[in-house]
Amino acid sequence: MYLMSFIATVMLLFTSIANGHFTVEHPPTIGQFNDETEGDHPCGGYSPDITQVSTTDFHVDGDVIATTLTHPESTWLYRINIDPTAQGNWTQVWPIFQQSGQGKFCNPRVTIPREFVGKKGFLGIVSHAVDGFLYQCSAVNFVKGTATTPSDCTNGSSVTTSWISDDQLTAKLNESTPSSSKQHTPNFAISSKREAFQGFGGMLTIGLMVILGVMLTV
Ligand SMILES: *[C@@H]1O[C@H](CO)[C@@H](O)[C@H](O)[C@H]1NC(C)=O
Ligand SMILES: *[C@@H]1O[C@H](CO)[C@@H](O)[C@H](O)[C@H]1NC(C)=O
Ligand SMILES: *[C@@H]1O[C@H](CO)[C@@H](O)[C@H](O)[C@H]1NC(C)=O
Ligand SMILES: [Cu+2]
């Protein structure tokens, strides 16, 4: 009985640590999704070139941003720029907000200043969660009008949101260089810890903990 619940607890712990960070359903992101480099500014480990990527139309009077969060909580920044390599000079396009609860969050009415119509650029989504900052980018073509909301634009049943301020996220509007500096170090440390946990080290730790559990219960 004790053993069963102990093992269940260990497995639960393992599952929560092995989870990814977040993904974007809409608009489509650029570059291969990589969980390990999602903390790399500006696009999660992908160095974009607007001349090399295909763009998705994004309607300035209202369009959809849909994400799936695999952390229990995150604050979010939506930002755009028209730099060919997505460096700096970002414009914020939605107030920073906090999501509580894992799962899908679909925002069907993100608006963009009309001066961007006819321009190609990037929509960047930044998550500030328990293991630091995480990034994804979509390459977009800003067009007039309002998008129709797709039927899969839904919110997870346990997801709630609230307005919040987050100075560190706001500072990301001015960040231009890829974060190879000290700022990235805490992120890296956590991500390598997670990697180790997922690998052999993790199995060994869990094995030892289970053995310990057996010894404690008999
Ligand atoms: C920053 O972006 C805005 C709008 O995208 C543009 O008008 C402005 O010239 C840019 N500034 C710099 C320094 O590139
Ligand atoms: C998701 O929830 C937000 C508010 O938290 C709401 O503005 C939005 O419309 C919801 N999305 C859908 C698809 O209902
Ligand atoms: C971005 O940098 C400019 C110039 O250095 C500064 O005036 C502005 O306040 C900064 N914005 C944010 C959001 O940090
Ligand atoms: Cu994460």
Side-chain angles (χ1 to χ4, degrees), residues 54-91:
S54 55
T55 54
T56 309
D57 282 353
F58 199 89
H59 298 77
V60 297
D61 291 340
D63 210 323
V64 178
I65 293 181
T67 49
T68 299
L69 178 68
T70 49
H71 287 296
E73 200 167 78
S74 171
T75 48
W76 295 101
L77 170 70
Y78 299 162
R79 58 183 191 173
I80 61 169
N81 82 6
I82 53 171
D83 179 86
T85 59
Q87 296 300 309
N89 196 20
W90 295 94
T91 299

Side-chain angles (χ1 to χ4, degrees), residues 92 167 170-174:
Q92 184 174 350
D167 293 344
T170 302
K172 298 293 172 189
L173 295 170
N174 267 355

Side-chain angles (χ1 to χ4, degrees), residues 3-119:
L3 181 62
M4 291 306 283
S5 59
F6 181 82
I7 290 174
T9 309
V10 169
M11 283 172 74
L12 212 73
L13 184 77
F14 179 68
T15 315
S16 65
I17 289 171
N19 263 343
H21 310 289
F22 85 94
T23 52
V24 178
E25 279 75 54
H26 191 88
T29 53
I30 47 172
Q32 179 73 41
F33 178 80
N34 184 343
D35 197 76
E36 298 305 325
T37 59
E38 198 172 15
D40 291 354
H41 193 268
C43 293
Y46 177 76
S47 302
D49 175 353
I50 198 70
T51 65
Q52 303 291 315
V53 291
S54 55
T55 54
T56 309
D57 282 353
F58 199 89
H59 298 77
V60 297
D61 291 340
D63 210 323
V64 178
I65 293 181
T67 49
T68 299
L69 178 68
T70 49
H71 287 296
E73 200 167 78
S74 171
T75 48
W76 295 101
L77 170 70
Y78 299 162
R79 58 183 191 173
I80 61 169
N81 82 6
I82 53 171
D83 179 86
T85 59
Q87 296 300 309
N89 196 20
W90 295 94
T91 299
Q92 184 174 350
V93 293
W94 190 261
I96 288 172
F97 66 99
Q98 181 173 52
Q99 171 179 348
S100 297
Q102 292 191 3
K104 287 175 81 167
F105 181 73
C106 182
N107 190 334
R109 47 173 170 271
V110 177
T111 57
I112 306 293
R114 289 203 175 141
E115 72 212 49
F116 285 91
V117 169
K119 292 177 176 157

